[in-house]
Amino acid sequence: MLSNPSKKLLPPYVSYRTFLNFIEGLEQTIPARIDRSYWGERLSGSTGAQLVAALRFLDLVDVSGFPTLKLRQLVGSREDQRAEILKQITLESYSFFFESQVDPQSATYAQMEEAFHDNYQIANDVARKCIKFFIGLAGNSGMKISPFVTKKNRTSRPTASAKKSSKIQTKNAGTEIPISSATVPNGISLDKLLIDKFPGFDPSWPDDVKIKWFAAFDELLKRTGGG
């Protein structure tokens, strides 16, 4: 099911390395459509969904998953040309930040966080991942970003919500997931079973539900050692 194109897309918070590896993987052949049948064997469900959302936010695929001209240009580019395309993508996709009164080259990390919070009302842990992706993208484009932001990003640590606990809850799925590193009798890791049983992602969910789902899934990966 396709997500509602009228909904406001969230900035990418997938790993920038995952995004970069995916783009490089398209250099052999760009599929006619980037859907689960294509990326499902390469990425987990949550990572794949985050990646596709990132591609849409950056205008690299349309609402149906079809590659845009911008994606084809990016994949076919090299070195300086690629940096220029990434710069254009960064300026257009993050216009909410570059068109603000904050100077990108001297902004503090707090100002960067405020820009994401004010425009997308996202949780702190999600904002941290959004900023990390933004720094990776801007860095590859050759853009100069404030050292106060880049330094803070390198030394940032998970928030208190990422500390170990006995379980995590997904309110929207109505599920409590106990955390344990035990092994079931047939030798299959219980951690693996927990991840496999985690409620599936639905692209048609409202953005606030998607945020909570990704946060809960990331939390599960951290508990089980998969993150």
Side-chain angles (χ1 to χ4, degrees), residues 128-168:
R128 175 175 55 83
K129 295 177 182 178
C130 289
I131 294 173
K132 190 171 184 178
F133 184 96
F134 168 79
I135 291 173
L137 185 65
N140 273 183
S141 73
M143 300 180 67
K144 292 183 178 180
I145 301 299
S146 169
F148 306 118
V149 173
T150 55
K151 181 179 179 180
K152 175 69 174 179
N153 179 69
R154 288 194 299 269
T155 58
S156 62
R157 294 289 183 272
T159 59
S161 63
K163 293 181 179 179
K164 289 187 176 181
S165 62
S166 61
K167 61 186 176 181
I168 58 174

Side-chain angles (χ1 to χ4, degrees), residues 10-167:
L10 297 180
Y13 51 101
V14 69
S15 162
Y16 184 70
R17 171 51 58 184
T18 296
F19 168 79
L20 198 58
N21 288 343
F22 185 82
I23 294 299
E24 292 175 350
L26 295 175
E27 292 178 1
Q28 294 182 343
T29 304
I30 299 178
R33 187 177 70 183
I34 296 178
D35 54 29
R36 184 179 291 272
S37 67
Y38 174 75
W39 55 258
E41 297 181 356
R42 299 167 175 79
L43 303 166
S44 68
S46 64
T47 301
Q50 290 180 33
L51 174 66
V52 172
L55 295 175
R56 281 199 57 203
F57 181 87
L58 301 174
D59 193 30
L60 298 178
V61 300
D62 64 17
V63 65
S64 299
F66 291 101
T68 62
L69 176 60
K70 190 179 297 183
L71 175 61
R72 297 184 185 280
Q73 292 174 333
L74 177 61
V75 172
S77 64
R78 293 294 182 274
E79 299 180 355
D80 291 347
Q81 183 186 21
R82 172 163 292 192
E84 186 58 34
I85 293 175
L86 287 174
K87 180 178 180 179
Q88 178 185 357
I89 291 173
T90 305
L91 290 172
E92 292 177 354
S93 300
Y94 295 89
S95 59
F96 69 90
F97 177 65
F98 291 105
E99 294 176 0
S100 68
Q101 297 181 349
V102 179
D103 182 357
Q105 296 187 32
S106 62
T108 65
Y109 192 86
Q111 287 179 304
M112 177 75 77
E113 280 187 313
E114 289 167 5
F116 281 88
H117 283 305
D118 292 346
N119 284 275
Y120 296 95
Q121 292 76 52
I122 52 182
N124 289 337
D125 57 338
V126 177
R128 175 175 55 83
K129 295 177 182 178
C130 289
I131 294 173
K132 190 171 184 178
F133 184 96
F134 168 79
I135 291 173
L137 185 65
N140 273 183
S141 73
M143 300 180 67
K144 292 183 178 180
I145 301 299
S146 169
F148 306 118
V149 173
T150 55
K151 181 179 179 180
K152 175 69 174 179
N153 179 69
R154 288 194 299 269
T155 58
S156 62
R157 294 289 183 272
T159 59
S161 63
K163 293 181 179 179
K164 289 187 176 181
S165 62
S166 61
K167 61 186 176 181

